RNA sequence: GGAGAGAUGGCCGAGUCGGCCGAAGGCGCUCGCCUGCUAAGCGAGUAUACUGGGAAACCGGUAUCGAGGGUUCGAAUCCCUCUCUCUCCGCCA
């Protein structure tokens, strides 16, 4: 949510910045709605002040019959106030819905652009593995080793669900532990294991609702949703709180499964693990003071990159352009991992600075010292990493000509010393 | 699922027959005083949001005692609905 006062005072500038996201985004109608509301609020409060003054006086009067006339008047005033309250509530709701559906302003450091094609490569790490055979896509590698079973996944549930078997299941679990151990042990994050379903307030706090209801799985007959990312429960841990300035920065790491409807991506990535309705992810979330958030994003990005570095997998970092960043983000880096089986880079992590956008929605504030005014924190989060896609990267980058897959050295302790996945 | 208890400020906790209750008291915290150190003591201050005025310090208005609705000139206090927490019983990993 944007600061309503900023909008009032800098509407044109805000409009320009919003427009850099693309055509659909606009602030039209805001001024008129806001004016209407404020005018009514002013009249309403004046009446209430009058009513309060009168009630105070009447409290002192012993003989109520002497003020019967005024009491009659006040009864009418009360009715008027009640009507205005009703109108005001509607206007407030309208304004609130408007504000909740306006995306964040891209940070000045976000490159301008219309689409994915305008994203800017920031750096590359490592090199593609050398193979003197034709690399296979991970679904072929995984099926041949009988560690990924897409058919049974589809039988159990449907398309975009996968059954991991044996060493495959273990690999996924090992990666979760490996990532959590790294981030909690080396990078200073506190581990969290949140609920995998959240309520409407939480979804609104981080920006999934009200706009993206169609992407979410909702419980029948209940206002609970399956989380599309741990960002939702973990960021909302501090919803409606005022933190101490000395507590910041706060850094949390959480493993959760993620559930996404993937509406509108029919026909995309239908094979393999890339796009699933349910996938595992280790998420990094940070809360900082406003001045620190951009440095924190770089730090968090580095923490996520470290996972791939330890696994020895080639990747590149992209700065997303204004037309490609998500609804709530002010700035986003994607880490794209090299997939030799598909001869391309694919996103494996998305790290964003939301500045005060989520904090304002979720009312997450901090206070410096005892006297300081509460201020909104900045929130930063990123995948560290998407686990399923990391399995993809390992299967494709570490595949051998004989069909087996080497396990990256750093991961072996988490695999009970296993060095290679091959057919039994 | 059944029965009961509760929800007040950063925390604890009081609020009698509805009015002078944004709310006693305590703790904590901040500033000042006092004090060889520590502890104790004394004094003052200490919610949030929106909003009007002001350069600012600050002054004023409105709202908020879990949420929503009702009664009333007036509700933390009365009535209704909901949510959450706790206790007991049942069921269950």
């Amino acid at each position: 949510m944007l600061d309503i006062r900023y909008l009032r005072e800098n509407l044109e500038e805000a409009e320009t910045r919003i427009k850099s996201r693309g055509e659909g985004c606009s602030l039209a109608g805001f001024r008129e709605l806001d004016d209407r509301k404020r005018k009514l609020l002013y009249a309403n409060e004046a009446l209430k002040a009058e009513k309060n003054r009168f009630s105070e006086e009447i409290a002192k009067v012993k003989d109520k019959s002497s003020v019967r006339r005024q009491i009659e008047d006040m009864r009418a005033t009360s009715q008027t106030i009640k009507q205005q309250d009703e109108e005001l509530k509607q206007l407030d709701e309208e304004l609130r819905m408007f504000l909740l559906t306006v995306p964040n302003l891209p940070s000045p450091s976000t490159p301008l652009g219309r689409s994915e094609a305008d994203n800017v490569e920031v750096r590359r790490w490592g090199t593609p593995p050398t193979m003197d055979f034709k690399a296979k896509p991970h679904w072929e590698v995984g099926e041949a080793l009988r560690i990924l079973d897409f058919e049974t996944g589809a039988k159990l549930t449907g398309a975009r669900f996968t059954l991991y078997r044996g060493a495959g299941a273990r690999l996924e679990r090992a990666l979760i532990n490996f990532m959590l151990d790294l981030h909690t042990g080396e990078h200073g994050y506190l581990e969290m294991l949140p609920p995998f379903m959240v309520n409407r307030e939480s979804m609104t706090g981080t920006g999934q609702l009200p706009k993206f209801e169609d992407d979410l799985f909702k419980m029948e007959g209940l206002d609970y949703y399956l989380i599309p990312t741990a960002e939702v429960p973990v960021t909302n841990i501090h919803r409606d709180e005022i933190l101490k300035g000395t507590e910041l920065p706060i850094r949390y790491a959480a493993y959760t499964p993620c559930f996404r409807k993937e509406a509108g991506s029919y026909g995309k990535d239908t094979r393999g693990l890339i796009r699933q309705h349910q996938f595992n992810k280790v998420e990094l979330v940070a809360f900082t003071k406003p001045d620190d958030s951009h440095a924190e994003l770089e730090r968090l990005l580095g923490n996520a990159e470290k996972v791939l570095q330890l696994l020895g997998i080639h990747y590149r970092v992209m700065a997303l352009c204004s037309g490609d960043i998500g609804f709530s983000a002010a700035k986003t880096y994607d880490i794209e991992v090299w997939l030799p089986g598909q001869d391309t880079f694919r996103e494996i992590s998305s790290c964003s600075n939301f500045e005060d956008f989520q904090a304002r929605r979720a009312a997450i504030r901090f206070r410096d010292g005892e006297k300081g005014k509460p201020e909104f924190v900045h929130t930063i989060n990123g995948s560290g990493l998407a686990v399923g896609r990391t399995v993809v990267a390992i299967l494709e980058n570490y595949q051998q000509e004989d069909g087996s897959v080497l396990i990256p050295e750093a991961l072996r302790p988490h695999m009970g010393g296993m060095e290679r996945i091959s057919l039994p």
Side-chain angles (χ1 to χ4, degrees), chain A residues 16-22 104-115 118-120 122 294 297-298 318-334 351-355:
Chain A
T16 309
R17 291 177 68 186
I18 286 282
K19 278 256 163 31
S20 75
R21 283 174 165 272
N104 200 0
L105 301 172
S107 148
S109 64
T110 290
L112 294 175
R114 293 167 174 276
S115 74
D118 300 316
N119 294 344
V120 176
V122 176
H294 279 86
L297 174 62
E298 301 298 325
M318 306 292 288
L320 299 199
C321 74
S322 56
D324 201 30
I325 56 174
F327 176 79
S328 302
K331 168 146 183 137
T332 298
Y333 291 112
D334 274 5
C351 302
S352 303
N353 184 356
F354 302 90
E355 298 183 344

Side-chain angles (χ1 to χ4, degrees), chain A residues 230-303:
Chain A
E231 159 192 349
V232 179
V234 175
T235 304
N236 278 282
I237 288 172
H238 294 299
R239 174 153 48 85
D240 295 320
E241 289 184 10
I242 300 176
L243 304 162
K244 289 199 183 83
T246 50
E247 292 179 88
L248 300 173
I250 292 173
R251 301 186 176 109
Y252 296 142
Y255 151 74
T256 70
C258 306
F259 303 90
R260 299 185 182 176
K261 274 198 176 165
E262 297 296 344
S265 64
Y266 306 110
K268 254 195 258 173
D269 305 312
T270 50
R271 306 207 63 181
L273 285 178
I274 290 289
R275 196 175 298 275
Q276 300 275 291
H277 286 308
Q278 173 189 323
F279 63 95
N280 294 308
K281 184 153 62 74
V282 169
E283 184 77 0
L284 304 174
V285 177
F287 304 80
T288 71
K289 295 184 188 178
D291 289 343
D292 302 334
S293 67
H294 279 86
E296 186 70 22
L297 174 62
E298 301 298 325
R299 181 185 191 276
L300 186 145
L301 172 66
N303 297 151

